[in-house]
Short mmCIF file of all heavy atoms in Angstrom, two decimals:
data_model
loop_
_atom_site.label_atom_id
_atom_site.label_comp_id
_atom_site.label_asym_id
_atom_site.label_seq_id
_atom_site.Cartn_x
_atom_site.Cartn_y
_atom_site.Cartn_z
N MET A 1 23.52 -35.65 7.69
CA MET A 1 22.56 -35.94 6.63
C MET A 1 21.68 -34.74 6.36
O MET A 1 21.06 -34.20 7.25
CB MET A 1 21.69 -37.14 7.06
CG MET A 1 20.84 -37.67 5.91
SD MET A 1 19.85 -39.10 6.45
CE MET A 1 18.37 -38.26 6.99
N ARG A 2 21.64 -34.35 5.11
CA ARG A 2 20.83 -33.20 4.75
C ARG A 2 19.36 -33.58 4.75
O ARG A 2 18.98 -34.61 4.23
CB ARG A 2 21.23 -32.70 3.37
CG ARG A 2 20.73 -31.30 3.09
CD ARG A 2 21.28 -30.81 1.78
NE ARG A 2 20.42 -31.22 0.68
CZ ARG A 2 20.30 -30.53 -0.46
NH1 ARG A 2 21.03 -29.45 -0.62
NH2 ARG A 2 19.51 -30.92 -1.41
N ARG A 3 18.55 -32.70 5.31
CA ARG A 3 17.12 -33.00 5.35
C ARG A 3 16.39 -32.19 4.29
O ARG A 3 16.73 -31.05 4.00
CB ARG A 3 16.55 -32.66 6.73
CG ARG A 3 17.30 -33.41 7.84
CD ARG A 3 16.42 -33.72 9.02
NE ARG A 3 15.84 -32.56 9.66
CZ ARG A 3 16.45 -31.80 10.57
NH1 ARG A 3 17.68 -32.06 10.90
NH2 ARG A 3 15.83 -30.80 11.13
N GLY A 4 15.40 -32.80 3.72
CA GLY A 4 14.63 -32.14 2.68
C GLY A 4 13.32 -31.60 3.20
O GLY A 4 12.88 -31.92 4.30
N CYS A 5 12.71 -30.78 2.37
CA CYS A 5 11.40 -30.22 2.69
C CYS A 5 10.38 -31.35 2.88
O CYS A 5 10.39 -32.33 2.14
CB CYS A 5 10.99 -29.30 1.55
SG CYS A 5 9.37 -28.53 1.77
N ALA A 6 9.51 -31.16 3.86
CA ALA A 6 8.53 -32.20 4.18
C ALA A 6 7.33 -32.19 3.24
O ALA A 6 6.53 -33.13 3.24
CB ALA A 6 8.05 -32.02 5.62
N ARG A 7 7.18 -31.13 2.43
CA ARG A 7 6.03 -31.07 1.53
C ARG A 7 6.18 -32.10 0.41
O ARG A 7 7.26 -32.24 -0.16
CB ARG A 7 5.91 -29.66 0.93
CG ARG A 7 5.49 -28.61 1.92
CD ARG A 7 4.02 -28.69 2.25
NE ARG A 7 3.61 -27.59 3.12
CZ ARG A 7 3.39 -27.73 4.42
NH1 ARG A 7 3.52 -28.90 4.99
NH2 ARG A 7 3.03 -26.69 5.15
N PRO A 8 5.09 -32.79 0.09
CA PRO A 8 5.14 -33.77 -1.00
C PRO A 8 5.57 -33.10 -2.31
O PRO A 8 5.20 -31.96 -2.57
CB PRO A 8 3.69 -34.26 -1.10
CG PRO A 8 3.09 -33.96 0.23
CD PRO A 8 3.78 -32.71 0.71
N ALA A 9 6.34 -33.81 -3.09
CA ALA A 9 6.76 -33.34 -4.41
C ALA A 9 7.68 -32.13 -4.35
O ALA A 9 7.87 -31.44 -5.33
CB ALA A 9 5.55 -33.01 -5.28
N CYS A 10 8.24 -31.85 -3.21
CA CYS A 10 9.21 -30.76 -3.09
C CYS A 10 10.57 -31.36 -2.79
O CYS A 10 10.71 -32.15 -1.86
CB CYS A 10 8.81 -29.78 -1.99
SG CYS A 10 9.97 -28.40 -1.82
N SER A 11 11.57 -30.98 -3.57
CA SER A 11 12.90 -31.56 -3.39
C SER A 11 13.90 -30.55 -2.86
O SER A 11 15.10 -30.80 -2.86
CB SER A 11 13.40 -32.13 -4.72
OG SER A 11 13.43 -31.11 -5.70
N GLU A 12 13.39 -29.41 -2.42
CA GLU A 12 14.29 -28.39 -1.88
C GLU A 12 14.86 -28.83 -0.53
O GLU A 12 14.25 -29.61 0.19
CB GLU A 12 13.52 -27.07 -1.68
CG GLU A 12 12.99 -26.46 -2.96
CD GLU A 12 14.12 -25.98 -3.85
OE1 GLU A 12 15.08 -25.40 -3.32
OE2 GLU A 12 14.05 -26.21 -5.07
N ALA A 13 16.02 -28.29 -0.21
CA ALA A 13 16.60 -28.56 1.10
C ALA A 13 15.83 -27.80 2.17
O ALA A 13 15.40 -26.67 1.95
CB ALA A 13 18.06 -28.13 1.12
N ALA A 14 15.65 -28.44 3.30
CA ALA A 14 14.94 -27.77 4.40
C ALA A 14 15.83 -26.72 5.04
O ALA A 14 17.01 -26.94 5.28
CB ALA A 14 14.52 -28.81 5.44
N THR A 15 15.25 -25.56 5.32
CA THR A 15 16.00 -24.49 5.98
C THR A 15 15.28 -23.99 7.23
O THR A 15 15.81 -23.22 7.99
CB THR A 15 16.18 -23.28 5.03
OG1 THR A 15 14.90 -22.83 4.61
CG2 THR A 15 16.99 -23.67 3.80
N VAL A 16 14.05 -24.45 7.39
CA VAL A 16 13.21 -23.94 8.47
C VAL A 16 12.54 -25.11 9.18
O VAL A 16 12.15 -26.10 8.54
CB VAL A 16 12.11 -23.02 7.91
CG1 VAL A 16 11.21 -22.50 9.01
CG2 VAL A 16 12.74 -21.86 7.13
N THR A 17 12.42 -25.02 10.48
CA THR A 17 11.66 -26.01 11.23
C THR A 17 10.37 -25.36 11.71
O THR A 17 10.38 -24.31 12.33
CB THR A 17 12.46 -26.55 12.42
OG1 THR A 17 13.57 -27.29 11.93
CG2 THR A 17 11.61 -27.46 13.29
N LEU A 18 9.26 -26.02 11.38
CA LEU A 18 7.94 -25.54 11.79
C LEU A 18 7.43 -26.43 12.91
O LEU A 18 7.53 -27.66 12.82
CB LEU A 18 7.01 -25.58 10.58
CG LEU A 18 5.55 -25.16 10.77
CD1 LEU A 18 5.01 -24.62 9.45
CD2 LEU A 18 4.69 -26.33 11.20
N SER A 19 6.91 -25.82 13.95
CA SER A 19 6.33 -26.63 15.02
C SER A 19 5.05 -25.98 15.52
O SER A 19 4.85 -24.77 15.38
CB SER A 19 7.34 -26.81 16.17
OG SER A 19 7.78 -25.56 16.64
N TYR A 20 4.20 -26.80 16.08
CA TYR A 20 2.90 -26.33 16.57
C TYR A 20 2.89 -26.36 18.09
O TYR A 20 3.19 -27.38 18.69
CB TYR A 20 1.79 -27.24 16.06
CG TYR A 20 1.57 -27.16 14.57
CD1 TYR A 20 2.12 -28.10 13.72
CD2 TYR A 20 0.81 -26.12 14.04
CE1 TYR A 20 1.92 -28.03 12.34
CE2 TYR A 20 0.60 -26.04 12.67
CZ TYR A 20 1.15 -26.99 11.83
OH TYR A 20 0.95 -26.90 10.48
N GLY A 21 2.54 -25.21 18.67
CA GLY A 21 2.38 -25.17 20.11
C GLY A 21 0.89 -25.24 20.42
O GLY A 21 0.21 -24.22 20.43
N TYR A 22 0.41 -26.44 20.63
CA TYR A 22 -1.04 -26.63 20.77
C TYR A 22 -1.60 -25.93 22.00
O TYR A 22 -2.73 -25.44 21.98
CB TYR A 22 -1.36 -28.13 20.81
CG TYR A 22 -1.13 -28.80 19.49
CD1 TYR A 22 0.03 -29.51 19.24
CD2 TYR A 22 -2.08 -28.70 18.48
CE1 TYR A 22 0.25 -30.12 18.01
CE2 TYR A 22 -1.87 -29.31 17.25
CZ TYR A 22 -0.70 -30.02 17.02
OH TYR A 22 -0.49 -30.61 15.82
N GLU A 23 -0.83 -25.87 23.05
CA GLU A 23 -1.35 -25.27 24.27
C GLU A 23 -1.50 -23.77 24.14
O GLU A 23 -2.37 -23.16 24.76
CB GLU A 23 -0.43 -25.60 25.46
CG GLU A 23 -0.46 -27.08 25.79
CD GLU A 23 0.40 -27.40 27.01
OE1 GLU A 23 0.99 -26.47 27.59
OE2 GLU A 23 0.48 -28.59 27.37
N SER A 24 -0.65 -23.14 23.33
CA SER A 24 -0.71 -21.68 23.18
C SER A 24 -1.26 -21.28 21.81
O SER A 24 -1.29 -20.10 21.48
CB SER A 24 0.69 -21.09 23.37
OG SER A 24 1.62 -21.70 22.51
N ALA A 25 -1.69 -22.28 21.01
CA ALA A 25 -2.23 -22.01 19.68
C ALA A 25 -1.27 -21.15 18.87
O ALA A 25 -1.63 -20.10 18.34
CB ALA A 25 -3.60 -21.36 19.77
N THR A 26 -0.03 -21.57 18.84
CA THR A 26 1.00 -20.81 18.14
C THR A 26 1.74 -21.72 17.18
O THR A 26 2.05 -22.87 17.50
CB THR A 26 2.01 -20.23 19.15
OG1 THR A 26 1.31 -19.44 20.12
CG2 THR A 26 3.04 -19.35 18.46
N VAL A 27 2.00 -21.19 15.98
CA VAL A 27 2.84 -21.88 15.01
C VAL A 27 4.20 -21.21 15.01
O VAL A 27 4.29 -19.99 14.88
CB VAL A 27 2.23 -21.82 13.59
CG1 VAL A 27 3.12 -22.55 12.60
CG2 VAL A 27 0.83 -22.43 13.59
N TRP A 28 5.24 -21.99 15.18
CA TRP A 28 6.59 -21.43 15.26
C TRP A 28 7.36 -21.76 13.99
O TRP A 28 7.36 -22.91 13.53
CB TRP A 28 7.34 -22.05 16.44
CG TRP A 28 6.64 -21.93 17.75
CD1 TRP A 28 5.75 -22.81 18.29
CD2 TRP A 28 6.76 -20.86 18.70
NE1 TRP A 28 5.32 -22.35 19.50
CE2 TRP A 28 5.92 -21.16 19.79
CE3 TRP A 28 7.50 -19.67 18.73
CZ2 TRP A 28 5.80 -20.31 20.89
CZ3 TRP A 28 7.38 -18.83 19.83
CH2 TRP A 28 6.53 -19.16 20.89
N LEU A 29 8.05 -20.75 13.47
CA LEU A 29 9.02 -20.97 12.41
C LEU A 29 10.38 -20.60 12.97
O LEU A 29 10.58 -19.50 13.47
CB LEU A 29 8.71 -20.08 11.20
CG LEU A 29 7.44 -20.39 10.42
CD1 LEU A 29 7.24 -19.35 9.32
CD2 LEU A 29 7.51 -21.78 9.80
N GLU A 30 11.32 -21.52 12.88
CA GLU A 30 12.64 -21.23 13.41
C GLU A 30 13.69 -21.81 12.49
O GLU A 30 13.39 -22.67 11.67
CB GLU A 30 12.79 -21.80 14.82
CG GLU A 30 12.57 -23.31 14.88
CD GLU A 30 12.55 -23.82 16.31
OE1 GLU A 30 13.42 -23.42 17.09
OE2 GLU A 30 11.67 -24.62 16.65
N PRO A 31 14.93 -21.33 12.61
CA PRO A 31 15.99 -21.91 11.79
C PRO A 31 16.04 -23.42 12.00
O PRO A 31 15.79 -23.90 13.10
CB PRO A 31 17.26 -21.22 12.32
CG PRO A 31 16.78 -19.94 12.91
CD PRO A 31 15.41 -20.25 13.47
N LEU A 32 16.38 -24.14 10.96
CA LEU A 32 16.36 -25.59 11.00
C LEU A 32 17.07 -26.13 12.23
O LEU A 32 18.22 -25.78 12.50
CB LEU A 32 17.03 -26.13 9.74
CG LEU A 32 16.88 -27.63 9.50
CD1 LEU A 32 15.43 -27.98 9.20
CD2 LEU A 32 17.78 -28.07 8.37
N THR A 33 16.37 -26.95 12.98
CA THR A 33 16.97 -27.50 14.19
C THR A 33 17.94 -28.61 13.82
O THR A 33 17.78 -29.26 12.79
CB THR A 33 15.88 -28.06 15.12
OG1 THR A 33 15.09 -28.99 14.39
CG2 THR A 33 14.98 -26.94 15.63
N PRO A 34 18.96 -28.83 14.64
CA PRO A 34 19.99 -29.83 14.31
C PRO A 34 19.42 -31.23 14.13
O PRO A 34 19.93 -32.00 13.32
CB PRO A 34 20.94 -29.77 15.51
CG PRO A 34 20.71 -28.42 16.11
CD PRO A 34 19.26 -28.12 15.87
N GLU A 35 18.41 -31.57 14.86
CA GLU A 35 17.84 -32.91 14.77
C GLU A 35 16.34 -32.82 14.51
O GLU A 35 15.66 -31.97 15.04
CB GLU A 35 18.09 -33.69 16.06
CG GLU A 35 19.57 -33.94 16.33
CD GLU A 35 19.77 -34.78 17.58
OE1 GLU A 35 18.76 -35.33 18.08
OE2 GLU A 35 20.90 -34.86 18.04
N GLY A 36 15.87 -33.75 13.71
CA GLY A 36 14.45 -33.80 13.46
C GLY A 36 13.70 -34.24 14.71
O GLY A 36 14.26 -34.85 15.61
N HIS A 37 12.43 -33.89 14.76
CA HIS A 37 11.61 -34.25 15.90
C HIS A 37 10.24 -34.64 15.37
O HIS A 37 9.75 -34.03 14.42
CB HIS A 37 11.50 -33.04 16.85
CG HIS A 37 10.80 -33.34 18.13
ND1 HIS A 37 9.42 -33.40 18.23
CD2 HIS A 37 11.28 -33.63 19.35
CE1 HIS A 37 9.10 -33.70 19.48
NE2 HIS A 37 10.20 -33.84 20.19
N PRO A 38 9.61 -35.65 15.97
CA PRO A 38 8.31 -36.11 15.47
C PRO A 38 7.23 -35.04 15.44
O PRO A 38 6.31 -35.10 14.65
CB PRO A 38 7.93 -37.23 16.46
CG PRO A 38 9.21 -37.67 17.05
CD PRO A 38 10.10 -36.46 17.08
N MET A 39 7.37 -34.03 16.29
CA MET A 39 6.34 -33.00 16.39
C MET A 39 6.63 -31.78 15.51
O MET A 39 5.92 -30.79 15.57
CB MET A 39 6.17 -32.55 17.84
CG MET A 39 5.64 -33.63 18.75
SD MET A 39 3.97 -34.16 18.31
CE MET A 39 3.05 -32.70 18.83
N THR A 40 7.69 -31.83 14.73
CA THR A 40 8.03 -30.68 13.90
C THR A 40 8.08 -31.08 12.43
O THR A 40 8.11 -32.26 12.10
CB THR A 40 9.40 -30.09 14.29
OG1 THR A 40 10.42 -31.04 14.00
CG2 THR A 40 9.43 -29.72 15.76
N HIS A 41 8.07 -30.09 11.57
CA HIS A 41 8.12 -30.32 10.13
C HIS A 41 9.24 -29.46 9.56
O HIS A 41 9.33 -28.28 9.86
CB HIS A 41 6.80 -29.93 9.48
CG HIS A 41 5.60 -30.56 10.13
ND1 HIS A 41 5.13 -31.80 9.78
CD2 HIS A 41 4.81 -30.12 11.13
CE1 HIS A 41 4.08 -32.09 10.54
NE2 HIS A 41 3.87 -31.10 11.37
N ASP A 42 10.07 -30.06 8.75
CA ASP A 42 11.14 -29.31 8.10
C ASP A 42 10.65 -28.80 6.76
O ASP A 42 10.10 -29.55 5.96
CB ASP A 42 12.37 -30.20 7.90
CG ASP A 42 12.93 -30.70 9.21
OD1 ASP A 42 12.77 -30.00 10.21
OD2 ASP A 42 13.52 -31.79 9.21
N LEU A 43 10.86 -27.52 6.51
CA LEU A 43 10.38 -26.92 5.27
C LEU A 43 11.48 -26.12 4.59
O LEU A 43 12.40 -25.61 5.24
CB LEU A 43 9.21 -25.96 5.57
CG LEU A 43 7.95 -26.59 6.18
CD1 LEU A 43 6.95 -25.47 6.49
CD2 LEU A 43 7.33 -27.60 5.23
N CYS A 44 11.35 -25.97 3.27
CA CYS A 44 12.25 -25.09 2.53
C CYS A 44 11.77 -23.65 2.70
O CYS A 44 10.68 -23.39 3.22
CB CYS A 44 12.28 -25.49 1.06
SG CYS A 44 10.70 -25.26 0.22
N ASP A 45 12.57 -22.70 2.21
CA ASP A 45 12.21 -21.28 2.33
C ASP A 45 10.86 -20.99 1.71
O ASP A 45 10.04 -20.26 2.28
CB ASP A 45 13.27 -20.42 1.62
CG ASP A 45 14.47 -20.18 2.50
OD1 ASP A 45 14.33 -20.24 3.73
OD2 ASP A 45 15.55 -19.93 1.96
N ARG A 46 10.64 -21.55 0.54
CA ARG A 46 9.42 -21.23 -0.20
C ARG A 46 8.18 -21.71 0.55
O ARG A 46 7.20 -20.98 0.69
CB ARG A 46 9.50 -21.90 -1.58
CG ARG A 46 8.41 -21.50 -2.53
CD ARG A 46 8.81 -21.86 -3.95
NE ARG A 46 9.16 -23.28 -4.09
CZ ARG A 46 8.29 -24.21 -4.45
NH1 ARG A 46 7.05 -23.89 -4.70
NH2 ARG A 46 8.66 -25.47 -4.56
N HIS A 47 8.22 -22.94 1.03
CA HIS A 47 7.06 -23.45 1.73
C HIS A 47 6.90 -22.83 3.12
O HIS A 47 5.80 -22.67 3.61
CB HIS A 47 7.11 -24.98 1.80
CG HIS A 47 6.70 -25.63 0.51
ND1 HIS A 47 7.54 -26.44 -0.22
CD2 HIS A 47 5.54 -25.54 -0.17
CE1 HIS A 47 6.88 -26.85 -1.31
NE2 HIS A 47 5.67 -26.30 -1.31
N ALA A 48 8.00 -22.48 3.73
CA ALA A 48 7.90 -21.79 5.03
C ALA A 48 7.20 -20.45 4.85
O ALA A 48 6.38 -20.04 5.66
CB ALA A 48 9.29 -21.59 5.61
N ALA A 49 7.51 -19.77 3.75
CA ALA A 49 6.91 -18.47 3.49
C ALA A 49 5.41 -18.59 3.22
O ALA A 49 4.65 -17.65 3.43
CB ALA A 49 7.59 -17.81 2.31
N ARG A 50 4.99 -19.74 2.76
CA ARG A 50 3.58 -19.95 2.44
C ARG A 50 2.78 -20.45 3.64
O ARG A 50 1.56 -20.64 3.54
CB ARG A 50 3.45 -21.01 1.35
CG ARG A 50 3.83 -20.55 -0.02
CD ARG A 50 3.28 -21.57 -0.97
NE ARG A 50 3.92 -21.55 -2.27
CZ ARG A 50 3.72 -22.50 -3.19
NH1 ARG A 50 2.95 -23.52 -2.92
NH2 ARG A 50 4.29 -22.42 -4.36
N THR A 51 3.44 -20.71 4.73
CA THR A 51 2.75 -21.27 5.88
C THR A 51 1.68 -20.32 6.41
O THR A 51 1.94 -19.15 6.66
CB THR A 51 3.75 -21.58 7.01
OG1 THR A 51 4.68 -22.55 6.53
CG2 THR A 51 3.03 -22.13 8.23
N VAL A 52 0.49 -20.83 6.53
CA VAL A 52 -0.61 -20.06 7.08
C VAL A 52 -1.10 -20.79 8.33
O VAL A 52 -1.43 -21.97 8.27
CB VAL A 52 -1.76 -19.93 6.08
CG1 VAL A 52 -2.93 -19.18 6.69
CG2 VAL A 52 -1.28 -19.24 4.81
N PRO A 53 -1.13 -20.10 9.48
CA PRO A 53 -1.55 -20.78 10.70
C PRO A 53 -3.04 -21.09 10.66
O PRO A 53 -3.80 -20.40 9.98
CB PRO A 53 -1.23 -19.76 11.79
CG PRO A 53 -1.25 -18.43 11.10
CD PRO A 53 -0.78 -18.69 9.70
N PRO A 54 -3.47 -22.11 11.36
CA PRO A 54 -4.90 -22.41 11.46
C PRO A 54 -5.65 -21.21 12.03
O PRO A 54 -5.08 -20.37 12.73
CB PRO A 54 -4.96 -23.59 12.43
CG PRO A 54 -3.59 -24.20 12.39
CD PRO A 54 -2.65 -23.05 12.14
N ARG A 55 -6.94 -21.13 11.74
CA ARG A 55 -7.76 -20.01 12.23
C ARG A 55 -7.66 -19.89 13.75
O ARG A 55 -7.80 -20.88 14.46
CB ARG A 55 -9.22 -20.24 11.82
CG ARG A 55 -10.16 -19.13 12.24
CD ARG A 55 -11.57 -19.40 11.76
NE ARG A 55 -11.66 -19.37 10.30
CZ ARG A 55 -11.86 -18.25 9.60
NH1 ARG A 55 -11.98 -17.10 10.22
NH2 ARG A 55 -11.94 -18.30 8.29
N GLY A 56 -7.38 -18.68 14.19
CA GLY A 56 -7.30 -18.44 15.61
C GLY A 56 -5.90 -18.68 16.20
O GLY A 56 -5.68 -18.46 17.37
N TRP A 57 -5.00 -19.14 15.32
CA TRP A 57 -3.64 -19.38 15.78
C TRP A 57 -2.76 -18.20 15.41
O TRP A 57 -3.04 -17.46 14.48
CB TRP A 57 -3.07 -20.65 15.15
CG TRP A 57 -3.62 -21.91 15.74
CD1 TRP A 57 -4.94 -22.21 15.96
CD2 TRP A 57 -2.87 -23.04 16.17
NE1 TRP A 57 -5.04 -23.46 16.50
CE2 TRP A 57 -3.79 -24.00 16.64
CE3 TRP A 57 -1.50 -23.34 16.21
CZ2 TRP A 57 -3.39 -25.24 17.14
CZ3 TRP A 57 -1.11 -24.57 16.71
CH2 TRP A 57 -2.03 -25.50 17.17
N GLU A 58 -1.66 -18.07 16.14
CA GLU A 58 -0.69 -17.02 15.86
C GLU A 58 0.56 -17.62 15.23
O GLU A 58 1.01 -18.69 15.63
CB GLU A 58 -0.31 -16.32 17.17
CG GLU A 58 0.65 -15.16 16.98
CD GLU A 58 1.00 -14.48 18.30
OE1 GLU A 58 0.55 -14.96 19.35
OE2 GLU A 58 1.72 -13.48 18.25
N LEU A 59 1.09 -16.93 14.23
CA LEU A 59 2.32 -17.37 13.60
C LEU A 59 3.48 -16.54 14.13
O LEU A 59 3.45 -15.31 14.05
CB LEU A 59 2.22 -17.22 12.08
CG LEU A 59 3.46 -17.62 11.27
CD1 LEU A 59 3.70 -19.12 11.38
CD2 LEU A 59 3.31 -17.21 9.82
N VAL A 60 4.47 -17.19 14.68
CA VAL A 60 5.63 -16.49 15.21
C VAL A 60 6.86 -16.93 14.42
O VAL A 60 7.21 -18.11 14.42
CB VAL A 60 5.83 -16.80 16.71
CG1 VAL A 60 7.09 -16.10 17.23
CG2 VAL A 60 4.61 -16.34 17.51
N ASP A 61 7.48 -15.98 13.76
CA ASP A 61 8.65 -16.28 12.95
C ASP A 61 9.91 -15.90 13.72
O ASP A 61 10.25 -14.72 13.83
CB ASP A 61 8.57 -15.51 11.63
CG ASP A 61 9.64 -15.99 10.65
OD1 ASP A 61 10.61 -16.64 11.08
OD2 ASP A 61 9.48 -15.69 9.45
N LEU A 62 10.59 -16.89 14.24
CA LEU A 62 11.77 -16.63 15.06
C LEU A 62 13.00 -16.35 14.21
O LEU A 62 14.06 -16.03 14.73
CB LEU A 62 12.04 -17.84 15.97
CG LEU A 62 10.93 -18.15 16.97
CD1 LEU A 62 11.26 -19.42 17.73
CD2 LEU A 62 10.75 -16.99 17.95
N ARG A 63 12.86 -16.45 12.90
CA ARG A 63 14.00 -16.20 12.02
C ARG A 63 14.23 -14.71 11.81
O ARG A 63 15.23 -14.30 11.25
CB ARG A 63 13.78 -16.85 10.66
CG ARG A 63 13.60 -18.35 10.76
CD ARG A 63 13.18 -18.90 9.41
NE ARG A 63 11.94 -18.23 8.98
CZ ARG A 63 11.56 -18.17 7.70
NH1 ARG A 63 12.27 -18.70 6.77
NH2 ARG A 63 10.43 -17.56 7.40
N GLN A 64 13.26 -13.88 12.21
CA GLN A 64 13.35 -12.46 11.90
C GLN A 64 14.41 -11.73 12.71
O GLN A 64 14.79 -10.63 12.38
CB GLN A 64 11.98 -11.80 12.12
CG GLN A 64 10.98 -12.26 11.07
CD GLN A 64 9.59 -11.72 11.33
OE1 GLN A 64 9.31 -11.25 12.42
NE2 GLN A 64 8.71 -11.81 10.35
N VAL A 65 14.87 -12.33 13.77
CA VAL A 65 15.89 -11.70 14.60
C VAL A 65 17.04 -12.67 14.79
O VAL A 65 17.23 -13.23 15.86
CB VAL A 65 15.33 -11.28 15.97
CG1 VAL A 65 16.33 -10.35 16.68
CG2 VAL A 65 13.98 -10.59 15.84
N PRO A 66 17.82 -12.89 13.75
CA PRO A 66 18.93 -13.84 13.86
C PRO A 66 19.98 -13.35 14.86
O PRO A 66 20.42 -12.20 14.79
CB PRO A 66 19.53 -13.88 12.45
CG PRO A 66 18.56 -13.15 11.57
CD PRO A 66 17.76 -12.24 12.46
N ALA A 67 20.34 -14.20 15.78
CA ALA A 67 21.30 -13.80 16.82
C ALA A 67 22.64 -13.44 16.20
O ALA A 67 23.37 -12.60 16.73
CB ALA A 67 21.47 -14.93 17.82
N THR A 68 22.97 -14.06 15.08
CA THR A 68 24.28 -13.83 14.49
C THR A 68 24.40 -12.44 13.88
O THR A 68 25.49 -11.99 13.56
CB THR A 68 24.56 -14.86 13.39
OG1 THR A 68 23.48 -14.86 12.48
CG2 THR A 68 24.71 -16.25 13.99
N MET A 69 23.27 -11.75 13.71
CA MET A 69 23.31 -10.43 13.11
C MET A 69 23.05 -9.34 14.14
O MET A 69 22.80 -8.20 13.80
CB MET A 69 22.26 -10.33 11.99
CG MET A 69 22.57 -11.26 10.83
SD MET A 69 21.33 -11.17 9.52
CE MET A 69 21.59 -9.50 8.92
N ALA A 70 23.11 -9.68 15.39
CA ALA A 70 22.76 -8.74 16.44
C ALA A 70 23.95 -7.90 16.90
O ALA A 70 23.84 -7.15 17.84
CB ALA A 70 22.19 -9.49 17.63
N SER A 71 25.07 -8.01 16.26
CA SER A 71 26.24 -7.28 16.68
C SER A 71 25.99 -5.79 16.57
O SER A 71 26.61 -5.01 17.23
CB SER A 71 27.44 -7.69 15.83
OG SER A 71 27.25 -7.28 14.51
ZN1 ZN B 1 9.33 -27.13 -0.02
#
């Protein structure tokens, strides 16, 4: 089942999973995980790019080093 972006009024397909690491004050962006999780949000490319971490939090984009391109 294809998952859509979690933002209201957005019908794009989700490509990114966003999750919050409350203990480390870190926002993670990673390639869409196979299964949804209550603690994560699925976002499209556009909304993932607009993600701004809360004040004092760090944004870590795990998509920047795709393993498939590491050859
Ligand atoms: Zn979206």
Side-chain angles (χ1 to χ4, degrees):
M1 191 179 90
R2 196 174 87 151
R3 304 211 301 277
C5 179
R7 290 284 185 256
C10 181
S11 58
E12 297 293 318
T15 58
V16 179
T17 293
L18 178 152
S19 56
Y20 292 99
Y22 290 99
E23 293 183 1
S24 54
T26 305
V27 180
W28 305 90
L29 292 176
E30 58 187 314
L32 190 67
T33 54
E35 296 183 12
H37 187 280
M39 294 297 288
T40 65
H41 308 273
D42 298 331
L43 298 176
C44 65
D45 278 335
R46 189 162 55 93
H47 281 119
R50 286 195 200 170
T51 298
V52 177
R55 182 178 294 274
W57 285 49
E58 183 180 3
L59 179 67
V60 177
D61 191 342
L62 298 175
R63 300 172 303 158
Q64 291 175 344
V65 192
T68 53
M69 295 179 67
S71 66

